[in-house]
Amino acid sequence: MGLGGGVGEAAAVSAAEEAGKEDGEGPGRGWRGKVRLSRVVAVVWVLGAAAFWAAQHCGFRRAAISKAEEGLVSMCEERARMLQDQFAVSVNHVHALAILVATFHYEKHPPALDQVTFAEYTARTSFERPLLSGVAYAQRVVHAYRESFERQQGWIIKTMRHEPSPVQDEYAPVIYSQETVSYIEGLDMMSGEEDRENILRSRASGKAVLTRPFRLMSDHLGVVLTFPVYLDDLTADAKEEDRVAATAGYLGGAFDVESLVENLLRQLAGNQELVVNVYDVTNNSNPLLMYGSEVPLGNPSPSHICMLDFGDPTPSGGFVICMLVGYIIYAAWSRYDNVKEDCRKMEELKKRAEAADVAKSQFLATVSHEIRTPMNGVLGMLDMLLDTDLKPTQRDYAQTAQFCGKALISLINEVLDRAKIEAGKLDLESVPFDLRSILDDIISLFSSKSREKGIELAVYVSERVPEILLGDPGRFRQIITNLVGNSIKFTERGHIFVQVHLADHSNLATEAKVEPVANGMNGHKNETTAVATSVSRNTLSGFEAADSRNNWENFKLLLSYEKNEMPYESVSDKVTLVVSVEDTGIGIPLDAQGKVFTPFMQADSSTSRTYGGTGIGLSISKCLVEIMGGQINFVSRPHVGSTFTFTAVLQRCDKSAVSDNEPVMLHPLPSSFKGLSALLVDRRPVRATVTKYHLQRLGITSEVVATIELALGALSGRNGHSLASTKLPCMLLIESDSWSSKMDVSLRSRLLEMKQNGQTPVLPKIILLVAAESDKLKGNYAVDSVITKPLKASTLAACLFQALGITQTQPSHEKRDSSGSLRGLLLGKNILVVDDNKVNLRVAAGTLKKFGAKVECVKSGKDALALLQIPYKFDLCLMDIQMPEMDGFEATRHIRAMEAKANEQADASNNSHSETDCTTRAGKWHLPVLAMTADVIQATHEECTKCGMDGYVTKPFEEKQLFQAVQKFLDPGMPS
């Protein structure tokens, strides 16, 4: 079967072939035709697709080129308009410079213009001439005056090749030039062919003239603009010979085309890169390439031509600069992306700055706490040690260590104050205070040092200054303490004088009559002239003061304002005080006066300096003054002294409006001296006025005479001398420099003689005012009493009580029960102290027990909560803030939550009874909790209030501070 099948198939094929032969086609011919047809179709398809994509590409390219050409035309026109405008502005400003030279060089005798002034002025006004690389002025010099001109200038006229100029009819040497073209100074502009032609045409026409393009000395192609400068004003129709005769010189400016185009492209930089060619087409048949390259661009690119007409440089033609702008290549970056990236970076930097500010505050709080905590233990233990029986040497050692510890705490406070000011977190209090009492305290602080040095330390407050002011007494005290402390440190002879006046009447205001300063505050060029100047020495001590206004004449003028009965002019509640601190110390060197208020900077910062200190006090004082709305200034002269003056804006506060609950630090003076009179012997009127001020505060009227002889004459009424007051003085106060040991017997005998003659019924007490130790002098001189300076009302009153034999009556405010003292407040009170530091616990417990309190101590907030269960057995809780496990804030919140729950239950119980009254409701539970904090950051104080604490005391706390903190809670006489 297989064989048969094969034969059948072969027969079939043979039959087909035969049929094909009959039709005229072979079997291979049909297959080849189909292949050929498919190839034709493929070629046609490829050609059609290529033609389609070519057409698409051409369309897109034409659209892109059209858009690019539109952008190019806009950009070119924009640049052309700017170039044209800037050219006009530059020409106008050169014209103005020509007028300036004519006015200040030729019309002023002697000339008010020189090279330095011209160079500085043209440099600072170069923005007015954006297209000019520099300007210069060349003076016209005829040959007859060449020798005298060169002798006057100190140099010879040179050509453009820097060779001596040959003899010619006239020259145009450059005498003034801008710094950018200073190399042409002394060169003769007439020696250059283009410049000479320009000069001759400009002076003949009286107009601005441009040269043809030529190679400048900078080796760039450019043109020069020339303006003539005339000695006289000429009319518009002046003849050429008149213009030439009136010509004084020529002002020229150079247009550096290469720099001009590059600056213009920088100013208008965008997302496109431009290829710029600049041609001079004055000669159309042969354009001169002034900028760019003649190498043809690789591919045809959009281009645009802008024609700019800058004037007519020749009588027959014009000068035209053409900008032929080539292809545009889009940059790989865009301005939007750059701006977006910059914004992102700024936002990131802002977040970093905010985080750094928070970290700084946290760092300050931590550092303050960590430093103050051990210092609290040191000072506390020293204080407890001083309360024990010590040998004199041991007591001296302990007191020295305590003094050094307090100095360290003071330094820490200053550094933290500076940091808080920089962080903007220093807030001022607004409480009533007595300014005069604060100044008395400051005087007491430095009294021993002033006595040791033998210098006068005095304070005077104008009568017009209100008794009670509203402000921040602590910061006000800090400013004056810093200033007086510096004066004490740097003064070895003379005086330190603190004055306070109202700004309306004071001639010591910072902006009034302050001499201009070269390198400081006085205007002297060197220390020799500073010392040589002489001013009035009618001052507090007789030594010369740095500020010439601080003399008796000006001081007397201020006193006349005080005697004026007119009311204070201002109707505002604000009071602007002017405080000055004057000393006769070593002064501030002139080269250091500019950095006086710079933190941590000192006039003498060497390791061998005589005076110590950190250099931060004045910086803090300046910041505090500015926060108070004032200004601080100073006048200083080396080897003469310094006067610091500042203003401060405070609020008026009526004494009657101050409630008893407000913590006003007043020191009422005794009234026992009212109605008494005194006679003062003092030959220095300023010092006598200060003494009268303190006597007046005690209610004592006084009169002043210059010598003891005049005083005796006034007491006896002889030689035409008489007292203005009808009341005879009960005391005779004599300054030590008006006294001598020989006067003891004679003064006593003459006073006894006057009493026997009936000229004075009662002998006045003789009181000597000295700057040395009174105990030593009282035995040397036959006087009733010796008062040691510096004077302040309280010490003066104590001395007068003893000298006059007056019984001292206790002020009513002191006739309170034992609650007026810290011991009276704490005696028998149960106080809980919470602190994790064992030393601090011992210090706090020891301090409180010293004042009679019953103290219990625990080491953590959890232990405190275990003891503080209602009903409380404690009257007060002193809580440390930073403790492990549970800090003071969390413990206080638990206490307040427990009290709130107990009070709610009590209210619910009371409401269920009909007989509930106000007394029952008033007895709600609230334990006074005071934070014991070792840092002084404002955020810590705010957190104390937020968590429910009633106040805080800073470590190490002192008696006065502790009294103010616990008074309103433990004093039964004060409302809670």
Side-chain angles (χ1 to χ4, degrees):
M1 289 184 64
L3 179 60
V7 174
E9 289 178 3
V13 171
S14 298
E17 289 178 354
E18 290 296 331
K21 289 178 180 179
E22 291 177 358
D23 294 337
E25 296 179 1
R29 178 179 291 273
W31 179 77
R32 292 191 186 93
K34 292 180 181 179
V35 171
R36 200 178 295 118
L37 178 62
S38 64
R39 288 178 178 173
V40 170
V41 172
V43 170
V44 171
W45 174 261
V46 171
L47 292 177
F52 174 78
W53 286 113
Q56 286 284 94
H57 175 73
C58 290
F60 290 147
R61 180 171 176 77
R62 278 196 301 270
I65 292 176
S66 176
K67 185 176 180 181
E69 286 178 345
E70 292 177 2
L72 177 62
V73 170
S74 175
M75 293 174 64
C76 290
E77 294 296 336
E78 180 184 8
R79 284 153 175 76
R81 283 194 300 272
M82 173 170 282
L83 192 61
Q84 188 82 55
D85 294 341
Q86 290 184 347
F87 176 80
V89 170
S90 300
V91 171
N92 290 338
H93 198 266
V94 173
H95 192 184
L97 275 176
I99 298 173
L100 182 142
V101 172
T103 303
F104 290 95
H105 185 72
Y106 294 105
E107 295 182 9
K108 302 290 184 181
H109 302 286
L113 195 64
D114 56 18
Q115 167 58 29
V116 175
T117 306
F118 186 87
E120 183 178 355
Y121 177 77
T122 52
R124 296 176 68 177
T125 57
S126 59
F127 66 92
E128 295 281 2
R129 306 178 302 277
L131 302 186
L132 290 173
S133 58
V135 291
Y137 174 69
Q139 182 173 329
R140 183 191 181 200
V141 180
V142 297
H143 181 67
Y145 294 101
R146 173 177 177 174
E147 185 177 350
S148 61
F149 172 81
E150 291 177 339
R151 188 166 50 250
Q152 178 185 359
Q153 296 294 330
W155 41 258
I156 62 174
I157 302 175
K158 297 182 180 180
T159 64
M160 291 293 187
R161 298 181 178 180
H162 294 274
E163 300 173 352
S165 180
V167 176
Q168 53 191 40
D169 293 338
E170 62 177 282
Y171 314 88
V174 175
I175 60 173
Y176 302 145
S177 62
Q178 188 175 342
E179 195 68 32
T180 55
V181 291
S182 59
Y183 50 83
I184 68 172
E185 186 175 353
L187 301 184
D188 180 16
M189 294 294 103
M190 298 286 280
S191 63
E193 181 181 351
E194 296 82 3
D195 291 307
R196 180 183 180 85
E197 181 184 352
N198 228 33
I199 287 172
L200 295 178
R201 288 192 294 110
S202 67
R203 75 180 185 186
S205 63
K207 299 178 181 179
V209 178
L210 287 168
T211 66
R212 292 185 179 89
F214 69 99
R215 187 73 57 181
L216 301 175
M217 297 187 71
S218 61
D219 204 30
H220 294 167
L221 277 175
V223 294
V224 173
L225 173 72
T226 305
F227 262 104
V229 176
Y230 297 113
L231 292 172
D232 303 312
D233 292 334
L234 299 175
T235 59
D237 57 350
K239 296 180 180 179
E240 181 177 340
E241 55 267 21
D242 295 334
R243 292 185 181 278
V244 173
T247 300
Y250 319 96
L251 191 73
F255 289 93
D256 186 332
V257 176
E258 181 175 335
S259 301
L260 181 153
V261 175
E262 290 177 352
N263 289 337
L264 183 65
L265 293 179
R266 278 199 301 269
Q267 292 175 13
L268 297 176
N271 291 335
Q272 293 81 25
E273 183 176 333
L274 303 180
V275 174
V276 178
N277 293 341
V278 179
Y279 294 87
D280 171 25
V281 293
T282 306
N283 185 357
N284 289 325
S285 61
N286 186 23
L288 173 64
L289 178 65
M290 300 183 67
Y291 178 83
S293 173
E294 293 195 21
V295 178
L297 301 176
N299 296 314
S301 300
S303 63
H304 184 69
I305 297 176
C306 292
M307 303 290 292
L308 302 180
D309 187 359
F310 288 143
D312 188 2
T314 65
S316 60
F319 173 72
V320 182
I321 296 181
C322 306
M323 300 179 67
L324 180 60
V325 186
Y327 69 94
I328 299 175
I329 301 176
Y330 287 92
W333 64 88
S334 67
R335 186 176 299 274
Y336 173 76
D337 291 336
N338 292 337
V339 172
K340 186 176 180 180
E341 179 65 17
D342 290 342
C343 291
R344 186 192 65 79
K345 291 181 179 179
M346 290 176 62
E347 186 68 24
E348 183 179 349
L349 290 175
K350 178 175 176 289
K351 292 179 179 179
R352 289 183 182 178
E354 292 173 348
D357 186 53
V358 173
K360 181 178 181 180
S361 298
Q362 294 174 346
F363 173 76
L364 287 175
T366 304
V367 168
S368 173
H369 182 273
E370 294 303 323
I371 295 178
R372 283 171 171 270
T373 297
M375 283 307 303
N376 172 52
V378 171
L379 293 178
M381 287 299 180
L382 286 172
D383 191 43
M384 294 170 64
L385 179 63
L386 289 171
D387 288 336
T388 62
D389 293 331
L390 298 175
K391 296 179 181 179
T393 304
Q394 294 172 331
R395 182 168 296 277
D396 179 61
Y397 291 163
Q399 289 175 342
T400 302
Q402 189 182 49
F403 174 79
C404 294
K406 289 182 177 180
L408 179 57
I409 287 291
S410 176
L411 175 60
I412 294 170
N413 290 340
E414 287 183 344
V415 174
L416 291 174
D417 281 345
R418 181 70 199 181
K420 286 193 292 181
I421 290 171
E422 289 178 352
K425 295 185 178 182
L426 190 141
D427 297 324
L428 297 180
E429 287 185 319
S430 184
V431 297
F433 68 95
D434 183 0
L435 172 66
R436 292 167 178 82
S437 297
I438 285 180
L439 292 176
D440 283 347
D441 292 342
I442 295 173
I443 291 295
S444 298
L445 185 63
F446 297 103
S447 58
S448 61
K449 197 68 175 178
S450 66
R451 292 170 190 163
E452 180 183 323
K453 290 188 171 187
I455 57 178
E456 290 271 359
L457 176 59
V459 63
Y460 177 85
V461 181
S462 168
E463 293 181 6
R464 291 298 186 95
V465 176
E467 182 180 358
I468 304 297
L469 293 167
L470 200 64
D472 192 329
R475 297 303 180 184
F476 194 81
R477 181 200 307 267
Q478 184 178 358
I479 297 170
I480 302 180
T481 301
N482 277 336
L483 296 179
V484 175
N486 283 342
S487 295
I488 286 284
K489 184 191 303 182
F490 297 109
T491 304
E492 299 297 333
R493 85 283 186 274
H495 66 267
I496 298 169
F497 190 19
V498 182
Q499 300 181 58
V500 184
H501 299 275
L502 293 181
D504 285 10
H505 295 157
S506 174
N507 68 331
L508 300 176
T510 55
E511 68 273 12
K513 297 184 181 178
V514 176
E515 298 174 356
V517 182
N519 266 331
M521 301 302 296
N522 48 45
H524 296 297
K525 293 184 179 179
N526 54 57
E527 296 191 6
T528 305
T529 56
V531 178
T533 28
S534 69
V535 296
S536 172
R537 297 197 175 189
N538 200 354
T539 58
L540 181 72
S541 63
F543 282 85
E544 185 180 7
D547 191 345
S548 59
R549 298 167 297 161
N550 290 358
N551 51 38
W552 170 241
E553 286 71 24
N554 280 346
F555 196 58
K556 185 165 55 176
L557 184 61
L558 289 176
L559 296 179
S560 68
Y561 283 120
E562 295 180 5
K563 300 302 179 184
N564 186 1
E565 297 299 329
M566 293 179 61
Y568 183 62
E569 297 173 1
S570 176
V571 296
S572 172
D573 289 337
K574 292 185 177 180
V575 178
T576 302
L577 301 182
V578 179
V579 184
S580 71
V581 179
E582 168 191 316
D583 68 62
T584 56
I586 62 174
I588 304 172
L590 300 181
D591 57 352
Q593 292 186 10
K595 58 183 181 181
V596 162
F597 296 112
T598 305
F600 305 106
M601 295 294 290
Q602 290 186 309
D604 180 13
S605 57
S606 64
T607 56
S608 60
R609 65 182 188 267
T610 305
Y611 306 96
T614 60
I616 196 175
L618 285 178
S619 170
I620 294 174
S621 297
K622 183 177 185 294
C623 295
L624 292 176
V625 167
E626 291 173 351
I627 293 174
M628 289 183 178
Q631 295 179 342
I632 188 168
N633 214 329
F634 72 96
V635 177
S636 184
R637 295 166 56 200
H639 311 299
V640 175
S642 304
T643 301
F644 281 81
T645 306
F646 72 90
T647 58
V649 180
L650 304 173
Q651 296 282 340
R652 290 177 173 273
C653 183
D654 293 334
K655 191 173 182 180
S656 57
V658 180
S659 65
D660 294 336
N661 299 338
E662 296 185 57
V664 188
M665 297 309 297
L666 294 176
H667 301 284
L669 299 172
S671 57
S672 307
F673 302 104
K674 289 185 178 179
L676 299 181
S677 62
L679 184 60
L680 175 61
V681 180
D682 194 344
R683 57 189 176 90
R684 301 197 186 281
V686 176
R687 185 174 59 187
T689 304
V690 172
T691 306
K692 286 184 66 177
Y693 156 73
H694 290 290
L695 292 172
Q696 185 180 358
R697 292 179 64 190
L698 297 176
I700 302 173
T701 59
S702 58
E703 294 187 33
V704 181
V705 293
T707 63
I708 293 180
E709 290 295 331
L710 293 176
L712 293 173
L715 289 172
S716 61
R718 294 178 302 170
N719 301 327
H721 298 289
S722 62
L723 296 172
S725 175
T726 56
K727 185 177 295 186
L728 291 175
C730 63
M731 64 189 84
L732 180 62
L733 287 84
I734 305 174
E735 279 289 342
S736 58
D737 55 6
S738 300
W739 180 272
S740 66
S741 57
K742 298 179 181 179
M743 290 185 178
D744 288 354
V745 179
S746 60
L747 181 59
R748 285 287 182 183
S749 60
R750 293 182 64 178
L751 287 175
L752 288 172
E753 182 182 347
M754 290 168 57
K755 182 178 180 181
Q756 292 171 0
N757 295 338
Q759 294 174 336
T760 173
V762 180
L763 288 178
K765 298 292 185 181
I766 302 175
I767 302 174
L768 192 63
L769 302 177
V770 298
E773 292 297 331
S774 59
D775 292 339
K776 297 179 181 179
L777 291 176
K778 189 172 180 181
N780 298 336
Y781 299 138
V783 295
D784 296 297
S785 182
V786 175
I787 297 179
T788 309
K789 295 182 180 182
L791 293 179
K792 67 173 187 173
S794 58
T795 56
L796 182 62
C799 292
L800 293 181
F801 274 125
Q802 183 179 3
L804 299 178
I806 300 176
T807 304
Q808 185 173 0
T809 58
Q810 191 178 15
S812 58
H813 77 99
E814 293 181 2
K815 293 180 179 179
R816 301 178 60 184
D817 55 17
S818 58
S819 64
S821 65
L822 184 58
R823 183 171 183 83
L825 289 177
L826 299 180
L827 185 62
K829 296 295 190 296
N830 293 311
I831 299 178
L832 177 64
V833 179
V834 187
D835 198 323
D836 62 316
N837 188 288
K838 294 181 180 180
V839 177
N840 287 342
L841 280 178
R842 291 183 61 187
V843 170
T847 303
L848 295 172
K849 289 178 180 178
K850 182 174 68 174
F851 295 108
K854 300 176 182 178
V855 182
E856 190 165 345
C857 300
V858 292
K859 297 180 180 180
S860 69
K862 288 185 176 181
D863 295 340
L865 291 179
L867 290 176
L868 293 175
Q869 298 296 325
I870 298 176
Y872 294 130
K873 65 175 182 178
F874 297 101
D875 302 295
L876 180 70
C877 176
L878 296 178
M879 180 85 68
D880 186 29
I881 292 178
Q882 297 186 12
M883 294 183 293
E885 296 185 4
M886 181 183 290
D887 60 24
F889 297 139
E890 185 179 355
T892 305
R893 281 191 284 267
H894 280 288
I895 293 172
R896 298 306 178 217
M898 179 177 61
E899 291 174 345
K901 183 177 180 181
N903 291 330
E904 287 178 3
Q905 294 175 353
D907 288 341
S909 176
N910 290 335
N911 290 333
S912 63
H913 297 82
S914 59
E915 297 181 357
T916 302
D917 56 12
C918 297
T919 305
T920 307
R921 292 179 182 176
K924 292 185 177 181
W925 295 105
H926 184 89
L927 177 68
V929 178
L930 299 180
M932 292 193 301
T933 171
D935 63 66
V936 288
I937 307 301
Q938 183 66 25
T940 303
H941 300 166
E942 295 173 356
E943 185 67 22
C944 292
T945 305
K946 189 184 301 183
C947 74
M949 291 183 172
D950 299 284
Y952 59 89
V953 288
T954 58
K955 303 176 188 177
F957 51 77
E958 298 177 352
E959 180 178 349
K960 181 179 178 181
Q961 180 199 26
L962 190 58
F963 177 82
Q964 293 177 355
V966 304
Q967 183 181 21
K968 63 180 179 179
F969 303 112
L970 302 182
D971 189 352
M974 295 191 69
S976 131

